[in-house]
């Protein structure tokens, strides 16, 4: 299942644009939200670089390069797993931060701060990296040529060893199963709280003003919720097929495929799941642009700036 090279490069540029715009802090978002969105944008950019450019595109266009030697291939795969896990769990931490900010007013004062956000991002990134180290040892060379091991495929013992089976279940539970259910749960609790708070606020405003009027606070909540649900909703939908793939492999006694021209239905399901999972790391910049008016304004300024610079240079 091939990837569209121009599309991937455009998504990489979109993530870079998100990082620059958020770093300027002119989107009307709080400090902790900016840190979470920045970390997610960096993680998504790393997913594109490692999973698509280094893994997929290198395998297609330079199958016998230095990157295809088995130890390097194993390192690339471990890094890929680490950044994908980081991207998923940063989405969970962002969802939890918004849940606390909306539903837990007492905890909000202590938790929803820039220092806590930095600490949480650091912990998530570190734990994701440590968990993925073991993946390095799950591979063996596809063949050895001139005493050099080339490419990597999953060892047979990975499917028969109780230790490897336990690790694979642990890895799959941590991503995508647990993030999947945590995001669903946190969103459900957030929606319940918002609906109850909005009903109470609407009653108070009606009693005070005698009629329904536009409420700036409710409009602000709507924008925040649209951003939250768009990010977490896209994560759930785009990881659903990968979720199914995990059960098919472990319960249906299938295997992970490493080839590129396999017509097996399991291979198609697995590659489709991977493709959608990677797509979930590309879509966030478009969500920001679609849901945040100030982000769109900053993006337009960024696009206009080089054009105005060229016009001024021509006039000199």
């Amino acid at each position: 299942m091939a990837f569209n090279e121009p599309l991937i490069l455009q998504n990489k540029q979109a993530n870079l644009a998100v990082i620059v715009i958020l770093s300027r802090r002119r989107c009307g978002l709080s400090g902790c939200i900016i840190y979470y969105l920045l970390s997610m944008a960096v993680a998504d950019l790393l997913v594109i670089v490692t999973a698509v450019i280094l893994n997929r595109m290198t395998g297609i266009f330079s199958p016998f390069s230095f990157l295809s030697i088995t130890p390097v291939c194993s390192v690339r795969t471990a890094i890929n797993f680490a950044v994908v896990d980081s991207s998923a769990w940063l989405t969970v931490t962002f969802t939890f931060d918004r849940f606390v900010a909306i539903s837990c007013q007492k905890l909000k004062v202590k938790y929803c701060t820039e220092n806590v956000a930095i600490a949480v991002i650091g912990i998530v990134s570190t734990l994701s990296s440590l968990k993925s180290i073991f993946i390095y040892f799950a591979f063996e060379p596809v063949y050895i040529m001139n005493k050099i091991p080339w490419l990597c495929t999953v060892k047979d013992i990975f499917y028969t060893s109780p230790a490897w089976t336990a690790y694979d279940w642990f890895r799959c539970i941590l991503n995508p199963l647990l993030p999947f259910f945590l995001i669903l749960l946190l969103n459900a609790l957030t929606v319940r709280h918002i609906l109850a708070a909005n009903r109470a606020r609407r009653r108070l405003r009606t009693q005070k003003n005698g009629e329904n009027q536009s409420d700036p606070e409710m409009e602000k909540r709507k924008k925040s919720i649209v951003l939250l649900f768009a990010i977490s909703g896209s994560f759930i939908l785009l990881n659903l097929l990968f979720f199914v793939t995990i059960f098919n492999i472990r319960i249906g006694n299938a295997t992970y495929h490493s080839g590129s021209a396999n017509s097996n239905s399991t291979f198609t399901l697995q590659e489709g799941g991977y493709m959608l999972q990677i797509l979930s790391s590309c879509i966030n910049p478009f969500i920001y642009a679609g849901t945040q008016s100030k982000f769109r304004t900053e993006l337009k300024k960024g696009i206009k700036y080089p054009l105005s610079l060229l016009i001024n240079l021509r006039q000199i």
Side-chain angles (χ1 to χ4, degrees), residues 1 62 70 73 89 100 102 115 148 187 195 209 215 266:
M1 192 169 292
S62 301
T70 301
C73 176
W89 278 100
V100 171
I102 293 168
N115 289 336
I148 300 176
N187 279 348
L195 292 177
N209 300 320
D215 188 345
T266 303

Side-chain angles (χ1 to χ4, degrees), residues 28 38 82 84 86 93 122 131 137 144 156 159 176 214 218 242 287 295 304 314 316:
L38 263 175
V84 168
S86 293
T93 56
K131 181 184 75 69
F137 302 100
I144 298 175
D156 291 338
Y159 304 102
S214 61
M218 290 181 66
F242 186 70
I287 291 175
F295 183 91
K304 290 179 181 178
R314 286 184 178 180
I316 296 176

Side-chain angles (χ1 to χ4, degrees), residues 58-276:
T58 299
I60 294 172
F61 298 108
S62 301
F64 297 104
S65 68
F66 168 75
L67 293 174
S68 296
I69 297 174
T70 301
V72 180
C73 176
S74 301
V75 169
R76 287 193 290 115
T77 305
I79 294 174
N80 180 26
F81 275 90
V83 295
V84 168
D85 287 352
S86 293
S87 178
W89 278 100
L90 287 171
T91 304
V92 174
T93 56
F94 171 68
T95 306
F96 181 74
D97 177 84
R98 292 301 84 204
F99 166 73
V100 171
I102 293 168
S103 306
C104 310
Q105 295 303 311
K106 291 183 178 179
L107 182 59
K108 173 184 175 181
V109 179
K110 295 182 178 180
Y111 184 81
C112 298
T113 64
E114 293 183 9
N115 289 336
V116 171
I118 292 171
V120 170
I121 292 166
I123 291 170
V124 167
S125 302
T126 302
L127 292 179
S128 297
S129 300
L130 291 175
K131 181 184 75 69
S132 300
I133 289 174
F134 298 97
I135 287 292
Y136 174 85
F137 302 100
F139 295 98
E140 63 184 1
V142 175
Y143 58 86
I144 298 175
M145 185 170 60
N146 297 327
K147 298 183 179 180
I148 300 176
W150 289 96
L151 306 177
C152 51
T153 186
V154 179
K155 296 177 181 177
D156 291 338
I157 196 174
F158 187 82
Y159 304 102
T160 57
S161 167
W164 275 119
T165 300
Y167 172 77
D168 196 39
W169 271 114
F170 173 72
R171 180 183 65 82
C172 297
I173 288 171
L174 286 184
N175 184 34
L177 304 187
L178 192 55
F180 190 93
F181 287 114
L182 283 176
I183 289 173
L184 280 177
L185 176 63
L186 290 170
N187 279 348
L189 293 174
T190 302
V191 168
R192 188 182 68 173
H193 179 85
I194 289 172
L195 292 177
N198 284 353
R199 283 195 296 266
R201 189 176 179 86
R202 195 177 294 112
R203 283 197 300 268
L204 289 173
R205 287 182 63 84
T206 302
Q207 292 172 4
K208 183 178 180 180
N209 300 320
E211 58 180 356
N212 289 325
Q213 296 181 353
S214 61
D215 188 345
E217 179 63 25
M218 290 181 66
E219 293 298 322
K220 185 178 178 181
R221 286 183 183 179
K222 283 182 181 179
K223 290 182 180 179
S224 178
I225 292 308
V226 167
L227 175 62
L228 169 64
F229 285 178
I231 292 174
S232 54
S234 67
F235 174 85
I236 290 171
L237 290 175
L238 294 175
N239 280 273
L240 186 60
L241 186 59
F242 186 70
F243 184 90
V244 174
T245 301
I246 299 300
F247 276 94
N248 180 57
I249 288 172
R250 278 304 171 186
I251 296 177
N253 293 322
T255 59
Y256 292 104
H257 291 274
S258 57
S260 59
N262 198 315
S263 60
N264 187 285
S265 60
T266 303
F267 173 82
T268 304
L269 178 67
Q270 177 182 314
E271 289 297 292
Y274 287 151
M275 184 179 68
L276 291 177

